[in-house]
Amino acid sequence: MPAKDWETRLAAVIAGWEGGERAAVEKAASLDEIERVRVSFLGRKGTLALLLRELGELPLDDKRRLGPRAQELKRSIEEAAKLRMGELTETLDQEALKPLFNDPTLPGYPPPRGGLHPLTQTIEEIAGILLSLGFEWAEGPLIETERYNFEVLNIPEHHPSRDLMDTFYLEGSEGLVLRTHTSPVQGRELEKRPPPLRIFSPGRVFRRENVDATHSAVFHQIEGLCVDEGIGFSDLKGTLEVFLKALLGPETKLRFRPSYFPFTEPSAEVDVECFVCRGAGCGLCKRTGYIEMLGSGVVHPNVLKSCGVDPERWSGFAFGMGVERIAMLRWGVQDIRAFYENDLRVLGQFAG
Ligand code: DAH
């Protein structure tokens, strides 16, 4: 085939591209449109494809002169097609996704659900039991006077148990401390409302502790107090038995161990049979078969007297327990700090 003809045909193909088809590709509204143009040039019977196939038959000189022009055209067609295809698929993707976001019949994404903190859950469960036993919820201040934190509770100045409490004293405020236990609520309530009374008081307490897996400088206690006529140690035993069985299960076995607290006489610490080994001895109960649950006792007459309550007429029992301790035992939490770090991976396991 004469090179002249081939060159003329190439010029026509170029004119076709530049004279309209390039614009058609660049403004194509669909992938089909691009494909139509591409096929018309480069498909099996495409005008440019035919020319390229015939290029081999041209004399060498012409081949060298005309070949690059044909290749250049091929490249620009392919490039324009590719570019527009990219643009289109992007917008088409978004168009295709639009109905998904606009479909009002699709269910919404559920918002992540929160849950109660394990300590809150523990306090609420204990509170539920005590409320059902006729105890009322009472609260006291976190900043407490030495009078309520110690003196009313029969802990005079220089009494060694003040040292045991590792108290935070408030600088510059004579006589104020961060309460070391929830027991000061006893005195506040006794003064506020005359007996008979039954109260419990959950809340934060503070001690100068070095923080480790089982100690925290801030933790929680729940205090219980019952004062009425004719109340004795048997009432304490019966109440705590019902309470601990409700909390830990009906088969729970209790052990009352003689102890000492300045504000109760007699005093007892209450253990429950280990709920892991059932008394056989294991790691949780340190091979003793029992786990310490709370401190308790018959209210010391001095406490009643300090609050203006006649100990000849009224008597009562009191008990106090650590919330973290109970929560750790129930859920097998090994480190008290897990309750304060607010790591959602930890807290999420308690979401009810
Ligand atoms: N307040 C005591 C403490 O922090 C716990 C306690 C023991 C409270 C005996 C009481 C009780 O009411 O009767 O260790």
Side-chain angles (χ1 to χ4, degrees):
M1 183 184 46
K4 200 87 198 114
D5 283 2
W6 195 95
E7 194 173 352
T8 312
R9 278 166 58 206
L10 177 63
V13 172
I14 291 174
W17 171 243
E18 297 296 349
E21 295 293 60
R22 176 199 279 278
V25 168
E26 284 172 353
K27 292 193 196 103
S30 69
L31 296 176
D32 286 350
E33 173 70 358
I34 300 171
E35 187 60 6
R36 179 196 65 72
V37 176
R38 198 192 64 80
V39 168
S40 76
F41 286 98
L42 294 168
R44 214 163 47 82
K45 291 180 187 157
T47 48
L48 181 57
L50 280 175
L51 282 174
L52 285 168
R53 234 173 286 146
E54 291 166 15
L55 184 67
E57 296 160 22
L58 297 186
L60 192 59
D61 275 0
D62 294 318
K63 222 191 290 186
R64 287 216 175 111
R65 186 169 57 88
L66 299 170
R69 282 167 59 187
Q71 290 298 344
E72 169 63 24
L73 177 61
K74 181 182 178 196
R75 208 181 45 77
S76 61
I77 293 170
E78 282 171 343
E79 235 166 56
K82 196 172 150 202
L83 184 72
R84 185 60 186 155
M85 264 162 72
E87 290 169 359
L88 271 183
T89 28
E90 197 167 302
T91 43
L92 287 178
D93 277 353
Q94 277 166 16
E95 289 294 317
L97 285 173
K98 253 186 195 159
L100 280 181
F101 292 111
N102 290 338
D103 185 349
T105 65
L106 285 175
Y109 294 109
R113 255 184 71 178
L116 293 178
H117 191 280
L119 294 179
T120 308
Q121 288 183 43
T122 307
I123 289 172
E124 289 199 347
E125 191 174 335
I126 291 171
I129 299 168
L130 291 173
L131 286 167
S132 77
L133 291 173
F135 287 76
E136 290 174 62
W137 189 307
E139 303 223 346
L142 306 184
I143 295 176
E144 193 48 282
T145 61
E146 288 190 59
R147 179 173 125 75
Y148 286 112
N149 198 76
F150 298 123
E151 271 129 57
V152 164
L153 291 165
N154 199 31
I155 312 173
E157 218 179 337
H158 308 304
H159 190 285
S161 88
R162 286 208 190 188
D163 296 340
L164 295 178
M165 291 280 199
D166 297 314
T167 312
F168 283 114
Y169 289 87
L170 286 178
E171 221 171 82
S173 318
E174 202 48 39
L176 289 185
V177 299
L178 294 182
R179 68 178 182 186
T180 56
H181 50 178
T182 43
S183 301
V185 183
Q186 287 190 26
R188 288 187 171 271
E189 288 299 312
L190 274 173
E191 283 184 351
K192 217 185 306 173
R193 41 176 140 178
L197 95 170
R198 251 177 290 175
I199 57 110
F200 69 98
S201 186
R204 233 177 298 168
V205 301
F206 308 84
R207 290 194 196 173
R208 290 177 47 155
E209 301 273 12
N210 288 322
V211 176
D212 63 21
T214 53
H215 294 89
S216 169
V218 184
F219 57 104
H220 298 75
Q221 287 186 336
I222 299 180
E223 190 77 12
L225 174 70
C226 165
V227 176
D228 204 337
E229 285 172 316
I231 295 289
F233 197 83
S234 55
D235 300 292
L236 166 69
K237 271 188 93 171
T239 305
L240 291 183
E241 176 136 3
V242 170
F243 167 68
L244 287 172
K245 283 186 171 171
L247 183 66
L248 302 171
E251 67 291 344
T252 303
K253 284 204 192 104
L254 276 61
R255 180 173 78 177
F256 286 76
R257 195 159 33 79
S259 184
Y260 170 76
F261 300 103
F263 34 90
T264 45
E265 179 58 38
S267 303
E269 274 175 85
V270 183
D271 305 334
V272 294
E273 193 179 79
C274 179
F275 34 78
V276 168
C277 64
R278 290 274 154 237
C282 70
L284 185 70
C285 60
K286 302 199 186 85
R287 322 255 152 238
T288 63
Y290 280 88
I291 292 173
E292 197 183 308
M293 291 301 290
L294 44 80
S296 67
V298 173
V299 179
H300 197 291
N302 286 351
V303 175
L304 298 175
K305 250 185 263 171
S306 304
C307 302
V309 174
D310 178 7
E312 297 297 328
R313 177 171 175 204
W314 305 100
S315 56
F317 65 82
F319 53 94
M321 68 198 105
V323 177
E324 279 79 355
R325 202 184 140 64
I326 292 174
M328 286 170 86
L329 289 168
R330 304 184 69 180
W331 283 300
V333 175
Q334 308 278 349
D335 194 318
I336 196 169
R337 291 167 288 199
F339 293 130
Y340 315 116
E341 281 163 356
N342 286 335
D343 183 334
L344 287 178
R345 292 167 303 179
V346 174
L347 296 185
Q349 298 176 53
F350 300 96

